[in-house]
Amino acid sequence: MSSVILSLYFFSGLLHEMLRSAKTGNSKSTWKVLIMDRLTVKIMSYSCKMADITQEGVSLVEDIYRRRQPLPSMDAIYFIQPTKENVIMFLSDMAGKSPLYKKAFVFFSSPISRELVSHIKKDSSVLTRIGALREMNLEYFAIDSQGFITDNERALEELFGDDEDSHKGDACLNVMASRIATVFASLREFPFVRFRAARSLDVTTMTTSRDLIPTKLAARIWDSLTQYKQKIEHFPQTETCELLILDRSIDQIAPVIHEWTYDAMCHDLLNMEGNKYVHEVPGKAGGPPEKKEVLLEEHDPVWLELRHAHIAFASERLHEKMTNFVSKNKAAKIQHGSRDGGELSTRDLQQMVQALPQYSEQIDKLSLHVEIAGKINRIIRESGLRELGQLEQDLVFGDAGMKDVIKFLTTKEDATRENKLRLLMVLAAVFPEKLEGERGLNIMKLARLPQDDMNAVNNMRLLAGASDTKKKSTGAFSLKFDIHKKKRAARKDRTGEEETTWQLSRFYPMIEELIDKLNKGELSKDEYPCMNDPSPSFHGTSQSTPMHHVPAPHSMRSKRTPTWARPRSSDDGYSSDSILRHASSDFKKMGQRIFVFIVGGATRSELRVCHKLTSKLQREVILGSSSLDDPPQFITKLKLLTANELSLDDLQI
């Protein structure tokens, strides 16, 4: 069973409240059928495995739109969206003299309209066969213990694209707002809704529709929440948490710069599909190697401990764990002693423990991560990634400039196309004028990048609300980057941060600074206004009173028993599950939750920051976004902003 917060709510909320509901009342059926639509199947798949569902008595999972075999002796659980089509299909299943199932327990993923409820009530033959009819308010996708997405994969294209389509944009925002609202409905939280205000460049510049995206989204979420206050039982009537709505324009560097943590490196360098990693294992009976799929997720104690660690630290810890494992069991010691003296490499240790079948269950996870870390370190060495990473960070902190980029491109001709593109995107974020006009064409030639790659660089302007590059000769492109900073450093160095112990760990996403200010009550009310007119106790007269010091109602529904609290180190690969077993249960002492939602895609570095700040601020920080994008996906989406005739599948970097 998953032991994480958002996933835990899904698991206990969906499985216990929904699946177990069919065991109540007059129903004596042991096995049940679970019927879902396309969206709810995806929601369920993010939250639990088929084995979890089977354990709750579900023998069959069906698609509501497919022809199904009648099972009149079994109960059915419907987890569906409250659409007219779904309601018609449900009524068709259960109406008449020969219904498909004995009894139906119906759960809607979001609020159902009165019209559809009336439609259901009209059929008296169906009413007697309904065991439950409830709104679950679950239309978000838990990606992590402190992260969720609304699965609006095309949000960048539909909201920031060059060819603005107001109908598509509005539809995208409506779906996004509805799904975000279900997060608060399911967790019984009522937030202060704050958002990045539209920025006016000067008196002659009109505010663009792109610049109004956070404002529009905040208004739609607020509308849904006010309805929840009236309709949902036990929904808080006063604010219990804070929601900050941002868009991708607040930080254009985070999605493309190399992030040096274990989690980010895995997804950036290993061509993973989601959390799925494919590797080779020895074949059976001495046969050829076989491919095996594993999931890197929070069920894995080694992953849970090391995912947010710097790759260098993760590699060191894995070697320590393997060494300690070998030293602690006698069989391994005997094999160790039979070798010539000298210190063993991590690879030697890995092969040694793999030769001990009685320990295979304990060592599988550890051996897997040793292999992954080794593969990442090889790629870093072979692609010269450290030097590139150093240049990226020096650009961001103002320690390098155009000359350094030209030198790199001239001397490192073997750098990959993707790495050169990402370097130029970082350069564009700090020195936008360097890529305008003739200079932009020259550096493109030097980097030997095709035009569609340079489109990704140029399209960064669309993320900052610049409506057209054909404005003044100075260019809206440069204005949008320089508006917030006069220095040529996009970040300031932080003092006293333990991350800076490791090389290439200076960079931090902008949301870290914003969340910290929000927590302290120092976030500007002008730049980040609040939808619900807050009381003086919220901002304070001097705007210095942090909200988490203000008494307010606790969440009515969520039981806070997180497992992501500060990891306890373990010396071997197996006892890391102490993180799972001994997680702090003293969560009630924490302050009120902070939710941050980023329109246009979030990054793994931003998700990591939310975990870090939860421990630092003693407030649970939850990140939401339209999608979670690794650098290749983000760059592909940027290209689509001015290539509307193409699809995501057509473009690769």
Side-chain angles (χ1 to χ4, degrees):
M1 180 181 291
S2 175
S3 49
V4 296
I5 298 171
L6 289 176
S7 294
L8 174 63
Y9 176 74
F10 267 97
F11 198 89
S12 62
L14 271 172
L15 292 184
H16 294 279
E17 290 185 31
M18 189 172 71
L19 299 183
R20 291 186 177 180
S21 65
K23 295 181 180 179
T24 61
N26 300 322
S27 175
K28 295 181 181 178
S29 301
T30 305
W31 291 99
K32 303 174 286 290
V33 183
L34 176 59
I35 299 158
M36 296 183 282
D37 60 33
R38 193 172 177 181
L39 178 80
T40 53
V41 162
K42 197 167 184 179
I43 292 169
M44 186 72 84
S45 68
Y46 268 80
S47 314
C48 49
K49 296 181 173 67
M50 189 62 206
D52 301 324
I53 297 171
T54 304
Q55 194 175 348
E56 294 295 342
V58 173
S59 61
L60 187 63
V61 176
E62 295 268 39
D63 182 336
I64 193 169
Y65 287 107
R66 292 199 174 176
R67 192 167 184 174
R68 285 163 276 129
Q69 177 188 353
L71 297 167
S73 63
M74 294 178 70
D75 290 340
I77 296 171
Y78 286 79
F79 178 40
I80 54 178
Q81 291 176 277
T83 64
K84 185 178 180 180
E85 294 77 14
N86 282 348
V87 169
I88 289 171
M89 291 298 295
F90 158 67
L91 292 174
S92 173
D93 290 348
M94 299 304 297
K97 293 181 180 179
S98 304
L100 291 186
Y101 311 106
K102 184 178 181 181
K103 212 167 188 67
F105 296 80
V106 186
F107 298 89
F108 294 110
S109 58
S110 59
I112 184 171
S113 68
R114 290 180 182 178
E115 291 76 18
L116 288 178
V117 173
S118 299
H119 192 48
I120 294 170
K121 287 181 177 179
K122 283 178 184 175
D123 196 323
S124 57
S125 66
V126 172
L127 283 179
T128 58
R129 295 165 185 160
I130 295 177
L133 192 69
R134 288 179 55 191
E135 296 170 345
M136 292 301 289
N137 294 309
L138 289 166
E139 281 197 2
Y140 55 99
F141 305 81
I143 53 169
D144 178 88
S145 57
Q146 286 171 242
F148 70 92
I149 59 171
T150 56
D151 199 36
N152 296 99
E153 284 289 340
R154 303 190 82 99
L156 261 186
E157 179 188 354
E158 291 170 354
L159 296 170
F160 295 91
D162 206 18
D163 180 24
E164 292 184 50
D165 184 329
S166 59
H167 177 71
K168 274 188 180 180
D170 282 345
C172 177
L173 284 176
N174 287 338
V175 170
M176 204 180 294
S178 172
R179 292 178 182 176
I180 294 167
T182 67
V183 173
F184 296 99
S186 63
L187 296 175
R188 294 294 192 268
E189 292 272 23
F190 180 45
F192 284 105
V193 181
R194 301 189 69 179
F195 57 95
R196 181 190 63 73
R199 296 160 294 185
S200 293
L201 299 178
D202 56 54
V203 292
T204 65
T205 309
M206 289 178 59
T207 299
T208 68
S209 60
R210 297 184 191 100
D211 213 25
L212 289 167
I213 287 167
T215 309
K216 291 178 179 178
L217 182 60
R220 286 165 168 79
I221 293 171
W222 179 247
D223 287 344
S224 294
L225 292 174
T226 51
Q227 291 178 39
Y228 284 154
K229 279 180 73 175
Q230 299 167 12
K231 291 177 62 178
I232 296 179
E233 190 178 0
H234 303 308
F235 193 80
Q237 297 300 299
T238 55
E239 290 81 357
T240 61
C241 63
E242 292 180 90
L243 167 63
L244 179 61
I245 299 170
L246 308 167
D247 63 33
R248 195 62 269 165
S249 70
I250 56 111
D251 188 349
Q252 298 164 64
I253 299 172
V256 293
I257 195 170
H258 284 88
E259 161 84 354
W260 290 80
T261 56
Y262 185 39
D263 178 12
M265 284 272 146
C266 284
H267 289 89
D268 194 353
L269 303 182
L270 300 183
N271 296 319
M272 289 173 57
E273 185 182 328
N275 290 331
K276 190 191 301 178
Y277 174 73
V278 181
H279 67 129
E280 286 191 346
V281 295
K284 294 175 183 175
E290 299 175 358
K291 288 191 174 181
K292 182 181 178 182
E293 292 182 355
V294 291
L295 292 176
L296 302 182
E297 56 184 3
E298 291 174 317
H299 296 280
D300 177 350
V302 181
W303 176 254
L304 193 62
E305 181 184 343
L306 297 178
R307 60 182 172 167
H308 295 146
H310 190 285
I311 183 62
F313 176 78
S315 301
E316 283 183 10
R317 283 292 294 147
L318 287 167
H319 185 83
E320 286 172 18
K321 284 174 178 290
M322 196 70 86
T323 304
N324 286 322
F325 183 87
V326 170
S327 67
K328 281 181 180 178
N329 69 73
K330 294 177 182 177
K333 279 184 181 176
I334 293 167
Q335 191 163 340
H336 186 178
S338 67
R339 292 177 175 241
D340 295 331
E343 186 177 344
L344 294 173
S345 70
T346 305
R347 180 64 182 161
D348 293 333
L349 294 166
Q350 182 186 15
Q351 290 174 336
M352 188 181 299
V353 294
Q354 284 175 338
L356 305 170
Q358 67 269 42
Y359 296 108
S360 61
E361 184 182 348
Q362 298 179 26
I363 207 64
D364 269 354
K365 292 291 185 190
L366 185 52
S367 185
L368 168 71
H369 289 289
V370 167
E371 176 189 316
I372 292 172
K375 199 170 183 178
I376 289 170
N377 284 316
R378 264 196 316 278
I379 293 170
I380 290 170
R381 283 195 304 273
E382 291 168 3
S383 60
L385 209 52
R386 282 193 179 88
E387 188 175 344
L388 173 65
Q390 188 66 59
L391 178 54
E392 287 176 345
Q393 302 222 1
D394 286 346
L395 282 169
V396 172
F397 286 90
D399 298 329
M402 187 68 166
K403 288 181 180 178
D404 302 280
V405 173
I406 292 172
K407 182 182 177 183
F408 179 89
L409 294 174
T410 305
T411 58
K412 304 290 179 182
E413 293 184 0
D414 58 342
T416 67
R417 172 184 164 189
E418 179 190 335
N419 285 340
K420 288 187 286 187
L421 173 57
R422 288 166 69 173
L423 176 63
L424 293 188
M425 292 176 85
V426 173
L427 177 70
V430 185
F431 298 96
E433 76 286 350
K434 302 292 186 186
L435 284 105
E436 288 183 336
E438 194 68 30
R439 282 186 288 188
L441 292 172
N442 289 337
I443 199 160
M444 179 182 74
K445 289 175 185 175
L446 181 63
R448 297 179 183 175
L449 293 178
Q451 183 58 47
D452 74 313
D453 279 357
M454 286 309 295
N455 286 345
V457 178
N458 294 330
N459 285 349
M460 291 174 75
R461 66 185 167 80
L462 297 174
L463 294 185
S467 60
D468 196 347
T469 53
K470 295 176 184 176
K471 289 188 178 179
K472 303 170 187 177
S473 58
T474 53
F477 183 55
S478 60
L479 281 171
K480 71 133 180 78
F481 285 104
D482 290 346
I483 188 169
H484 289 304
K485 56 181 185 291
K486 293 178 182 176
K487 289 184 178 181
R488 285 317 173 103
R491 298 290 188 280
K492 295 178 182 177
D493 273 309
R494 297 165 297 172
T495 55
E497 289 282 341
E498 60 183 69
E499 289 100 324
T500 55
T501 305
W502 297 97
Q503 189 183 20
L504 302 171
S505 59
R506 291 168 74 190
F507 178 79
Y508 58 94
M510 280 305 298
I511 68 162
E512 182 167 352
E513 196 173 289
L514 293 174
I515 294 169
D516 198 45
K517 286 183 178 178
L518 180 67
N519 176 65
K520 293 174 180 175
E522 296 174 356
L523 198 62
S524 166
K525 287 189 287 184
D526 295 327
E527 292 179 21
Y528 298 92
C530 188
M531 283 297 300
N532 25 346
D533 187 23
S535 62
S537 62
F538 173 54
H539 290 298
T541 53
S542 63
Q543 199 183 352
S544 60
T545 307
M547 184 188 167
H548 66 289
H549 291 154
V550 180
H554 285 291
S555 303
M556 303 288 290
R557 188 169 186 170
S558 56
K559 298 233 186 331
R560 300 187 177 188
T561 53
T563 61
W564 43 264
R566 180 171 297 220
R568 292 170 174 78
S569 296
S570 57
D571 293 328
D572 55 61
Y574 198 56
S575 58
S576 294
D577 64 358
S578 59
I579 300 165
L580 303 178
R581 292 200 306 263
H582 303 113
S584 169
S585 60
D586 197 19
F587 214 146
K588 289 183 180 178
K589 290 183 180 177
M590 277 196 158
Q592 296 171 329
R593 284 173 168 142
I594 295 174
F595 293 82
V596 180
F597 190 87
I598 303 174
V599 181
T603 69
R604 294 184 190 276
S605 60
E606 288 161 339
L607 191 54
R608 171 182 58 80
V609 158
C610 291
H611 283 269
K612 170 192 165 184
L613 291 178
T614 292
S615 178
K616 178 182 174 182
L617 306 179
Q618 287 298 291
R619 297 180 69 180
E620 185 185 346
V621 182
I622 295 174
L623 177 68
S625 184
S626 46
S627 58
L628 183 68
D629 296 330
D630 295 308
Q633 289 93 336
F634 179 77
I635 294 169
T636 297
K637 289 178 180 181
L638 266 187
K639 292 177 181 179
L640 282 171
L641 296 188
T642 49
N644 295 296
E645 70 279 3
L646 299 177
S647 70
L648 286 170
D649 298 327
D650 295 327
L651 285 174
Q652 299 296 329
I653 64 166

